[in-house]
Amino acid sequence: MLETALLQDGSGTPLLRDTLTATREWSVVNDFCHRAYMPLSTHPLTAGMDPNATIRMLDIGRITFSRFCFGTPTRADDFDPDSGNIIVVNTLRGSVRHPVGGNDAIDTRPGDSYVVDCSRTQYWNLADGDDLQLNLTIPHKLMEETAARWYGFVPEDDLWKKRLIFGAGQSAWLSLLDYATRSLDARHDRIGDPLTERRIEEMICLELLRNWAQASGLNLETGARAAAPHYVREAERLMRQSAEDAPTITEIAARLGITARSLSEGFRRFRGLTPHEFLSAARLDALHAALRAARPGETVTAIARARGYVNLGAMTARYRERFGESPAQTLRRGRH
C-alpha cells in the first residue's frame, strides 16, 4: 500500500514529470520543507553530510501531500507555530523518532502514523536516513471547521496538544490515503475535479479527527465533553500517569476528593464512557509503549504481568481490538 503514492496516478502514469523531485543540496531541501510544512531547522547528524533527498509534493484541496526523506540521518526542529499547521507523518520505510507526552519519544515504523499540531505544541523529529515518509500538512483551521461541521463543536487544546501514534499496519487510514493519491491525474498533477477534491479533503480530515480523538480517549459524539469539569480532566491525567500501576477507580476518585459515583457520572456526561473504560485504554496504551521499547529477552508475559495484567487471554483480545495486532506482534516489530 502507498508504494506508488505521488509517483504514479491510478492508471500508472508518472506524476510530477517536469518537477524537481530529488536533490543533494541542503538549500533545496530546506526550501522544500518550508513550502511543504512550515519554516523549520534541519541538522544532519553527521557534520558535512549532504542529503540524498526525495522531495515530491502535491495538493489535494487544502491538504498538502509530500513524499519525503532526507536520505541521511537528520534532526528537524524549530517548527514554526505561527504556520497554523498540523503534520501527519506516515512512515513507509525505516524509522522516525518523534516526541509524545512529557519527555518521552517514540519511533514510527512502516505502517505507523503520527500526528502533531505544530500550532499548539512543540515538535522535532529524528530521521534515520533510510526512512521514507508520506506526510500530510493540514491547516489547523481546516480541522476545526471539520469538527464544527460534523460534531457541532471545536475540541479544546486538550486534543490538539496531544502528539501520538495511531493506526498500524494496513489500517483504514492508510487505505484512505492510498485512494486519495490514486485519484490524482498525471495530466494535471492534481485530481482535476474540484468536487472530488473537496470530498477527499473532507474524508481525510474527518478520519484523522476520529483516529486522533479515539487514541486520546475523547468521545466526539456529544459536544458537552468540550466543557468537561476540572475533576474529569484531572482524573484523565492521573489515570494516564499511573496506568502502569493499575489503580482502581475508587483510588482515583479518592485522590480527587470525590466519590467514585460522582466520577462515573462526570465521565458518562462529558466523555460518553466510563472511567473504567478510559483507564483500560490508558493501561493498554502504556503496555503498547512498553512492548515497543522492550529490551532483548523480555517477554510479553513478563511485561504484561509487571503492569498488573493477570488474565493474559482477555488482555490479548482487548489489545488486538485496540491496536489491530497481538502483543507478540508489537514486541517483534519493536525489535526490528
Side-chain angles (χ1 to χ4, degrees):
M1 190 184 298
L2 296 172
E3 291 89 350
T4 62
L6 303 195
L7 299 178
Q8 301 173 359
D9 65 11
S11 65
T13 305
L15 291 160
L16 297 166
R17 283 174 291 184
D18 300 318
T19 304
L20 178 65
T21 57
T23 183
R24 298 190 68 91
E25 299 291 335
W26 280 113
S27 60
V28 178
V29 170
N30 289 327
D31 177 68
F32 175 86
C33 290
H34 290 194
R35 289 185 292 114
Y37 311 119
M38 65 196 75
L40 55 90
S41 298
T42 57
H43 320 272
L45 298 187
T46 301
M49 283 293 293
D50 292 328
N52 186 16
T54 295
I55 51 170
R56 306 179 73 91
M57 176 175 62
L58 282 172
D59 292 335
I60 296 180
R62 288 171 283 178
I63 300 174
T64 298
F65 281 69
S66 53
R67 187 181 181 100
F68 179 75
C69 70
F70 288 109
T72 189
T74 304
R75 178 184 175 95
D77 53 26
D78 293 333
F79 285 73
D80 183 9
D82 293 334
S83 67
N85 285 336
I86 292 165
I87 296 179
V88 186
V89 179
N90 306 283
T91 302
L92 305 183
R93 184 182 70 215
S95 68
V96 183
R97 179 160 295 179
H98 314 266
V100 282
N103 295 321
D104 294 335
I106 196 165
D107 294 336
T108 53
R109 303 181 188 281
D112 290 339
S113 299
Y114 171 94
V115 60
V116 57
D117 187 340
C118 295
S119 73
R120 296 299 190 271
T121 188
Q122 293 182 336
Y123 177 57
W124 55 264
N125 65 51
L126 288 172
D128 69 7
D130 294 320
D131 59 290
L132 178 64
Q133 307 136 41
L134 180 70
N135 299 330
L136 276 65
T137 307
I138 305 175
H140 175 92
K141 183 178 179 181
L142 178 57
M143 289 295 291
E144 285 192 342
E145 291 172 1
T146 302
R149 185 160 52 250
W150 283 86
Y151 295 104
F153 82 107
V154 175
E156 295 181 344
D157 280 356
D158 284 353
L159 174 67
W160 308 120
K161 287 183 177 181
K162 285 189 170 62
R163 305 168 294 192
L164 49 84
I165 287 180
F166 65 94
Q170 304 297 315
S171 67
W173 165 254
L174 294 184
S175 296
L176 175 58
L177 301 189
D178 190 57
Y179 165 72
T181 55
R182 288 179 184 274
S183 298
L184 292 163
D185 186 338
R187 292 172 298 179
H188 311 288
D189 277 346
R190 57 187 308 119
I191 289 177
D193 176 7
L195 180 59
T196 301
E197 280 202 10
R198 289 209 312 273
R199 287 175 175 170
I200 290 177
E201 173 191 277
E202 182 94 337
M203 285 191 294
I204 288 172
C205 290
L206 183 58
E207 188 66 17
L208 174 60
L209 183 61
R210 287 171 174 168
N211 277 279
W212 203 343
Q214 182 178 17
S216 301
L218 179 65
N219 187 337
L220 291 168
E221 295 306 320
T222 167
R225 91 195 80 49
H230 178 265
Y231 72 85
V232 170
R233 290 181 278 115
E234 184 65 8
E236 292 173 331
R237 185 189 69 79
L238 289 173
M239 285 190 276
R240 291 194 192 96
Q241 186 180 70
S242 58
E244 293 187 3
D245 299 326
T248 67
I249 300 305
T250 300
E251 290 170 341
I252 293 294
R255 292 177 64 178
L256 296 170
I258 61 174
T259 65
R261 180 175 180 178
S262 295
L263 184 60
S264 295
E265 289 177 348
F267 267 80
R268 178 186 55 78
R269 178 181 177 189
F270 295 101
R271 293 295 189 247
L273 74 169
T274 68
H276 178 74
E277 289 170 337
F278 183 93
L279 179 58
S280 295
R283 292 185 64 207
L284 287 172
D285 290 344
L287 176 61
H288 182 265
L291 291 169
R292 292 290 298 264
R295 297 187 299 271
E298 289 189 290
T299 65
V300 170
T301 298
I303 293 171
R305 291 202 185 282
R307 284 155 182 79
Y309 287 101
V310 177
N311 187 337
L312 299 185
M315 176 276 291
T316 298
R318 293 193 298 270
Y319 188 99
R320 187 185 294 276
E321 182 179 353
R322 183 163 181 81
F323 299 109
E325 63 182 10
S326 70
Q329 288 172 316
T330 302
L331 182 65
R332 286 195 297 271
R333 288 203 309 127
R335 290 173 177 168
H336 295 304

